[in-house]
Amino acid sequence: MAKPSVRDKIVDAALERFHTLGFSGCSVQDIVDTAGVPKGSFYNYFKAKELLALEVLSIYGQDSNREILEDQSLPPIDRLRAHFEYMAAYYADFGYEKGCLIGNLAAEMTDNTPLLRQAIGQSLEKWTAAVTATLREGQKDGSIIASLDAEKVARFVINSWEGAVVRMKIARCRQPLDDFFAVAFPLLNRPTAE
Amino acid sequence: MAKPSVRDKIVDAALERFHTLGFSGCSVQDIVDTAGVPKGSFYNYFKAKELLALEVLSIYGQDSNREILEDQSLPPIDRLRAHFEYMAAYYADFGYEKGCLIGNLAAEMTDNTPLLRQAIGQSLEKWTAAVTATLREGQKDGSIIASLDAEKVARFVINSWEGAVVRMKIARCRQPLDDFFAVAFPLLNRPTAE
């Protein structure tokens, strides 16, 4: 196997450090120390910490197993559950301490990092589109309530998940995620008597 | 009116700076500069930035108008809505850019600030207890679905709100809050046909 490049080492270290310390809580020095590369090399690859964070965010999004939302072998509602359970298992590996990198970065955003704010917005839009499409498939096959506004509910479900994950970071246990599954999922397929 | 003490100036400045820059993104220097006091005076009052954050968190909680949850002149469901709308109006004053100080701090927590993590947990528990009590009142008067687990739903509603507020910070508009009102509230009082 090829040795990881200096650039790869920096990106891998940054993902771990941003996730553990946050964006502001993590200095370029922290990243190069973890990567085991000289500080000077950082600026050969990235002009600013914010630009590195853009790349880290993109990798984190790719790693979150959204493909499962398109898995035609499962009913749409089961895909949604599997999607969130996949993330829950990932958080469990870290003792429920780290939260979601996207939500953590979002909560930290200020006017000082406009590119990162924009990229987080786009990442959330992309995620919303994937969940919306799954909800619509479920509406077609009758397993998800047809009268729901799929896009609005997708945004709500993702935002609720992100809020549950922030609470999880504080409680350091799965309870907030269990609350999410117990309350949000019946919303999608429980018939109402309006 | 008495002039604010140096201590008061530091606390006021810290609330504003933590809310704008985050905990890690804001240095003691930022706080004393905003307060207009010498840096040396900071350590006369607070041994560490974390201890100041504990006080700021407590003030923020007191300012969030939770009393309205106990206002017996309003039906419980209307009190809940007024409680969240009060916060929405507060966020609107900042162009929907700053988010909730509790949620922002929660998303930033690491093992480096155990006291602050604990205080955030207690603040969320207290808030949950207040919302749970309101939901139970509504269950007694028949306006909120009796079969709901009030405490679980209170946690879910608060976490969903916090997630909506994080999304609001990125979107810089009210839409995530509107999604919350549109999807979470019918959960509480729409009869189901299970």
Side-chain angles (χ1 to χ4, degrees):
Chain A
M1 217 167 79
K3 272 173 65 178
S5 67
V6 169
R7 195 178 191 287
D8 288 346
K9 285 184 189 173
I10 291 171
V11 171
D12 287 351
L15 198 156
E16 192 281 321
R17 292 285 83 191
F18 286 146
H19 206 180
T20 302
L21 299 173
F23 180 76
S24 297
C26 163
S27 64
V28 169
Q29 191 66 54
D30 289 323
I31 295 168
V32 294
D33 286 350
T34 299
V37 302
K39 190 166 182 183
S41 66
F42 181 92
Y43 295 99
N44 293 338
Y45 299 101
F46 299 99
K47 285 196 181 138
K49 195 171 68 161
E50 184 182 8
L51 299 176
L52 171 58
L54 295 183
E55 188 153 331
V56 164
L57 183 70
S58 158
I59 290 171
Y60 184 84
Q62 286 159 24
D63 283 352
S64 66
N65 195 25
R66 287 192 201 147
E67 312 83 72
I68 204 167
L69 290 173
E70 293 164 27
D71 179 351
Q72 301 295 321
S73 72
L74 287 173
I77 190 93
D78 293 349
R79 287 181 231 163
L80 266 183
R81 189 177 287 275
H83 170 59
F84 288 109
E85 283 290 7
Y86 176 88
M87 291 184 281
Y90 176 74
Y91 303 143
D93 285 344
F94 296 114
Y96 302 110
E97 283 206 357
K98 286 192 179 187
C100 168
L101 182 67
I102 302 173
N104 292 351
L105 289 175
E108 275 197 75
M109 280 308 95
T110 69
D111 282 346
N112 300 330
T113 47
L115 294 175
L116 187 52
R117 189 200 282 258
Q118 189 181 25
I120 293 168
Q122 286 165 347
S123 171
L124 288 167
E125 298 276 342
K126 216 167 141 188
W127 189 6
T128 300
V131 170
T132 303
T134 309
L135 290 174
R136 290 206 173 117
E137 277 191 70
Q139 290 179 312
K140 270 189 204 150
D141 78 9
S143 60
I144 290 172
I145 303 167
S147 62
L148 294 177
D149 178 332
E151 198 176 330
K152 184 181 290 194
V153 171
R155 288 194 305 260
F156 175 80
V157 166
I158 288 171
N159 298 346
S160 293
W161 175 257
E162 287 294 328
V165 173
V166 169
R167 182 81 167 254
M168 175 200 84
K169 252 193 92 153
I170 294 301
R172 285 188 279 194
C173 67
R174 203 187 129 103
Q175 188 190 53
L177 310 186
D178 286 332
D179 294 338
F180 168 84
F181 285 112
V183 183
F185 269 77
L187 255 176
L188 305 177
N189 60 0
R190 181 185 291 172
T192 60
E194 278 179 291
Chain B
M1 216 168 79
K3 271 173 63 178
S5 67
V6 169
R7 195 178 192 287
D8 290 344
K9 284 184 189 172
I10 292 172
V11 171
D12 288 351
L15 200 157
E16 191 280 322
R17 292 285 82 192
F18 286 147
H19 206 180
T20 302
L21 299 174
F23 180 76
S24 296
C26 162
S27 64
V28 168
Q29 190 67 54
D30 289 323
I31 296 168
V32 294
D33 286 351
T34 300
V37 304
K39 188 165 182 183
S41 66
F42 181 91
Y43 295 100
N44 293 337
Y45 299 101
F46 299 99
K47 286 198 180 136
K49 195 172 69 161
E50 184 181 7
L51 299 175
L52 170 58
L54 295 181
E55 187 151 335
V56 164
L57 184 69
S58 157
I59 291 171
Y60 184 84
Q62 286 159 23
D63 283 352
S64 65
N65 195 25
R66 287 193 200 146
E67 311 83 74
I68 203 167
L69 289 173
E70 293 164 27
D71 179 351
Q72 301 295 322
S73 73
L74 287 173
I77 190 92
D78 293 350
R79 288 181 231 161
L80 265 183
R81 190 178 287 276
H83 169 60
F84 288 108
E85 284 289 6
Y86 176 88
M87 291 184 281
Y90 176 73
Y91 303 143
D93 286 344
F94 296 114
Y96 302 110
E97 284 206 358
K98 286 193 180 186
C100 168
L101 184 66
I102 301 172
N104 292 352
L105 290 174
E108 275 197 77
M109 281 306 95
T110 69
D111 282 345
N112 300 329
T113 48
L115 294 175
L116 186 52
R117 187 198 284 256
Q118 189 181 28
I120 293 168
Q122 286 165 348
S123 171
L124 288 167
E125 299 275 341
K126 215 168 143 187
W127 189 6
T128 300
V131 170
T132 302
T134 310
L135 290 174
R136 289 207 173 118
E137 276 190 71
Q139 288 179 313
K140 269 188 203 147
D141 79 9
S143 60
I144 289 172
I145 303 169
S147 62
L148 293 177
D149 177 332
E151 199 177 329
K152 184 181 292 196
V153 170
R155 290 194 304 260
F156 175 80
V157 165
I158 288 171
N159 298 347
S160 294
W161 176 256
E162 287 294 327
V165 173
V166 169
R167 182 82 167 254
M168 176 200 85
K169 254 194 90 154
I170 294 300
R172 286 188 278 194
C173 69
R174 201 187 130 103
Q175 187 191 53
L177 311 185
D178 285 332
D179 293 339
F180 168 85
F181 285 112
V183 184
F185 269 77
L187 254 176
L188 306 177
N189 61 359
R190 179 186 290 173
T192 60
E194 280 180 292

